Amino acid sequence: MVNSEIYGKVACKLHTGEKHGPNILPRDLVQALQATIPNSNIVETNTLYEGDRYTTESHQETIKVNGWTFCPVDIMDEDGSVNVPVTGGFHLKEVAMGKNIVNYDSMLVLSHFKGHAMGGYGGALKQLSIGVASAYGKSYIHGAGHPEKMWSTDQDLFLSSMADAASSVINFFKGQLAYVNVMKNISVDCDCDNNAAPPCMKDIGILVSTDPVAVDQACLDLVYNSTDPGRDQLIERIESRHGIHTIECAAELGLGSRAYELVEIE
């Protein structure tokens, strides 16, 4: 059972999106899921870029505008960061995560699978890394350990640093995590883009796993194997950013397996 990994105080990590984000996950879907998880609430962190979620105050307003009002939303870096160690990483020794992560026993990583302007795609591994990191931690990941190079570092260094950061969260929770990737409203752009392109593909479904590498790999395989004509736009976005490298590095770090069995449930 996937939910056997979830217990105690549960952090539901969700990308809540920029104001009026056209492609963000449906609120009723998230609300129905959250209601089934006792002692849980949504968690978020502030952004590195200036936008609707750059400060805690503006972030809280955006959360209200986007309708995430059915349960508490904890902006985990509202009161600062906590350094979480990385063991055996490619570049990072620690990552600054939202301070309130210490208040939780386990995490449900609820991801909207879509393209991303920097990472190529956004799924479970990106949520675990950039999504949980504080604003400073995000600059540290982007710069592969050198925050001053956050917008100029080599692309593969950034992607492998995301794998490092994901490993720190997995180790922090001692594996007590579950992952839900929702393949709906699939755009080439992330929900962090307030001018995101319309969806380029039809909805595919929802994937659930206790393995973040497998669930992201399965989503990519479903895109590549799709006959939807819009798949080419998403594949171009993924490949032009070498997005698969994050999965390659996460697998090398032992965060999961790229081999999986896809079991359909109706």
Side-chain angles (χ1 to χ4, degrees):
M1 294 291 290
V2 171
N3 63 359
S4 66
E5 306 298 327
I6 300 300
Y7 72 96
K9 180 66 174 175
V10 181
C12 296
K13 178 60 188 76
L14 172 70
H15 192 317
T16 53
E18 298 296 298
K19 281 184 179 177
H20 307 291
N23 302 324
I24 60 177
L25 292 180
R27 268 71 68 191
D28 56 350
L29 183 153
V30 178
Q31 181 175 7
L33 176 59
Q34 186 272 332
T36 67
I37 307 171
N39 201 20
S40 68
N41 54 253
I42 293 171
V43 300
E44 259 281 29
T45 54
N46 292 322
T47 59
L48 178 58
Y49 58 86
E50 294 189 19
D52 295 336
R53 298 178 298 132
Y54 183 57
T55 67
T56 296
E57 182 179 18
S58 62
H59 200 160
Q60 289 173 335
E61 175 61 25
T62 300
I63 285 166
K64 293 177 183 177
V65 168
N66 284 350
W68 307 113
T69 56
F70 51 82
C71 72
V73 179
D74 180 1
I75 300 175
M76 293 194 293
D77 59 338
E78 178 177 4
D79 297 316
S81 305
V82 60
N83 289 331
V84 179
V86 175
T87 302
F90 292 101
H91 312 292
L92 309 182
K93 301 299 183 184
E94 61 183 13
V95 183
M97 298 294 179
K99 185 177 181 180
N100 290 352
I101 192 174
V102 301
N103 297 331
Y104 297 93
D105 301 301
S106 55
M107 177 174 281
L108 172 69
V109 183
L110 177 58
S111 305
H112 176 204
F113 184 87
K114 68 284 183 189
H116 194 279
M118 296 195 71
Y121 83 95
L125 291 168
K126 190 171 189 300
Q127 276 271 56
L128 277 172
S129 53
I130 295 293
V132 181
S134 67
Y136 174 76
K138 290 175 172 65
S139 69
Y140 195 72
I141 297 167
H142 273 279
H146 302 279
E148 71 280 5
K149 298 180 180 179
M150 60 184 175
W151 303 131
S152 61
T153 195
D154 175 82
Q155 176 70 0
D156 278 2
L157 295 184
F158 159 55
L159 297 175
S160 50
S161 293
M162 281 206 292
D164 285 352
S167 74
S168 73
V169 178
I170 291 172
N171 290 336
F172 176 84
F173 284 113
K174 298 179 174 60
Q176 301 299 126
L177 302 99
Y179 306 92
V180 178
N181 277 10
V182 182
M183 302 187 75
K184 179 178 177 63
N185 297 335
I186 307 170
S187 168
V188 298
D189 291 321
C190 179
D191 300 328
C192 61
D193 188 337
N194 58 10
N195 291 302
C200 62
M201 295 182 65
K202 293 180 180 178
D203 297 345
I204 295 177
I206 300 173
L207 280 72
V208 182
S209 180
T210 56
D211 182 331
V213 177
V215 76
D216 277 6
Q217 183 68 62
C219 286
L220 288 180
D221 290 345
L222 286 169
V223 170
Y224 274 81
N225 293 328
S226 172
T227 58
D228 190 310
R231 65 184 277 278
D232 293 344
Q233 297 179 48
L234 184 56
I235 290 172
E236 191 282 330
R237 173 58 58 90
I238 294 165
E239 293 185 348
S240 65
R241 274 66 170 182
H242 199 198
I244 193 65
H245 192 55
T246 305
I247 291 178
E248 293 172 339
C249 292
E252 188 173 338
L253 288 175
L255 306 188
S257 172
R258 296 179 68 183
Y260 59 86
E261 179 183 3
L262 193 60
V263 179
E264 294 190 33
I265 300 174
E266 296 187 9

